[in-house]
Amino acid sequence: MTRGHFPRDAKLVILTGAGVSAESGLGTFRDKGGVWTKYDLAEVATPEGFARDPALVHGFYNARRANAADAAPNAAHHALAKLQAQWPGEVVLITQNVDDLHERAGSDEVIHIHGTLTGALCAACEHRWPAPAQMAPTDTCPACGAETTRPDIVWFGEIPYRMEEIAGHLDTAEVFAAIGTSGQVYPAAGFVEEAAQMGAHTVEINLSEEPTSPFFQERRFGPATAAVPEWVAELLARL
Ligand code: APR
């Protein structure tokens, strides 16, 4: 049974990372063969890298956008969508992932703190619109016409999205779960401490131990497609 004492309508705050999409065929970043073992993040995931070579960066995200479009949500995404639909308390789903697999599994409210591959942003006027499959430096902003379009992705050194809103959720969470994340990138890696300090029951679902593992009261090891449906089934069995 899931450990921890919390009410049947507890507020659940869930953070996902690349590990939740790994079994959909989308690579993680820091595992063996991960994205950052193949690309220099300074070149493709920083504003400086984009300024230096926008074509290289658009090419990197065009390939990731195509991979994500070809991928399918897995049992972990579906289990979390089911939890959002059936849990009587508030369920807040925060993801570091830029794919849309949570949405395609039926999750309708997803907080993408690192942006989304499906979004385009104008660096000049901050207009946002659905990204085309392939973006290029010569694209112009549909609102202001400037050639300053970029993927709507939060790069290293930039401020993640909706942080104030997230702080409020961490302060009122009764359960905080982190699924498939290495806990190495802040501010997301610090969420567990904030939630634990406010008294939340903390749950980690991962394949392996990570630097933030000691902050979790409940740790569930296994591939997300097995461990997440199991956790969700145990939660819903409490109802
Ligand atoms: N099931 C569960 N967990 C898994 C699985 C799986 N099948 N496969 C991998 N994992 C776990 C790994 O053990 C690791 O803890 O997923 C985590 C992946 O870690 P990272 O590759 O660092 O991905 P993530 O934590 O999401 O990275 C955070 O870093 O580069 C930035 O913006 C990028 O959002 C990303 C952020």
Side-chain angles (χ1 to χ4, degrees):
M1 268 311 282
T2 55
R3 292 188 289 285
H5 301 290
F6 46 87
R8 287 194 179 87
D9 62 351
K11 175 171 179 175
L12 313 180
V13 177
I14 299 165
L15 171 70
T16 63
V20 84
S21 296
E23 291 160 270
S24 292
L26 298 184
T28 61
F29 293 94
R30 295 171 182 83
D31 291 320
K32 191 164 166 299
V35 175
W36 299 143
T37 64
K38 295 179 188 136
Y39 294 90
D40 175 355
L41 69 83
E43 284 185 3
V44 294
T46 62
E48 297 77 13
F50 184 65
R52 250 192 320 274
D53 190 343
L56 173 75
V57 175
H58 276 307
F60 174 73
Y61 287 99
N62 289 343
R64 297 191 64 207
R65 191 175 299 110
N67 287 343
D70 290 345
N74 63 49
H77 298 107
H78 287 293
L80 292 174
K82 180 180 176 186
L83 183 61
Q84 281 183 298
Q86 297 185 12
W87 184 254
E90 187 182 1
V91 181
V92 178
L93 181 56
I94 304 164
T95 188
Q96 301 171 91
N97 300 340
V98 293
D99 64 60
D100 61 348
L101 296 182
H102 282 304
E103 290 86 346
R104 284 162 54 199
S107 288
D108 47 19
E109 175 52 37
V110 183
I111 300 177
H112 281 273
I113 60 170
H114 293 161
T116 60
L117 288 166
T118 54
L121 167 67
C122 175
C125 73
E126 299 204 339
H127 175 64
R128 285 181 167 81
W129 67 98
Q134 302 284 311
M135 293 185 75
T138 50
D139 291 354
T140 53
C141 167
C144 74
E147 272 191 18
T148 51
T149 63
R150 56 172 278 183
D152 190 8
I153 299 282
V154 177
W155 286 323
F156 287 94
E158 297 186 319
I159 299 168
Y161 289 147
R162 301 173 65 176
M163 287 306 295
E164 266 188 44
E165 180 187 343
I166 289 170
H169 287 315
L170 295 174
D171 288 350
T172 53
E174 290 164 285
V175 176
F176 174 80
I179 301 170
T181 181
S182 62
Q184 297 190 37
V185 175
Y186 285 80
F191 289 176
V192 58
E193 258 188 284
E194 287 178 56
Q197 277 163 6
M198 300 305 286
H201 172 65
T202 53
V203 185
E204 178 181 43
I205 298 179
N206 203 311
L207 271 184
S208 59
E209 188 147 334
E210 296 296 358
T212 47
S213 292
F215 290 108
F216 291 91
Q217 290 138 343
E218 181 180 356
R219 289 160 57 193
R220 306 172 75 105
F221 291 104
T225 54
V228 176
E230 185 183 273
W231 178 60
V232 168
E234 287 180 14
L235 283 174
L236 295 180
R238 284 169 171 247
L239 302 182

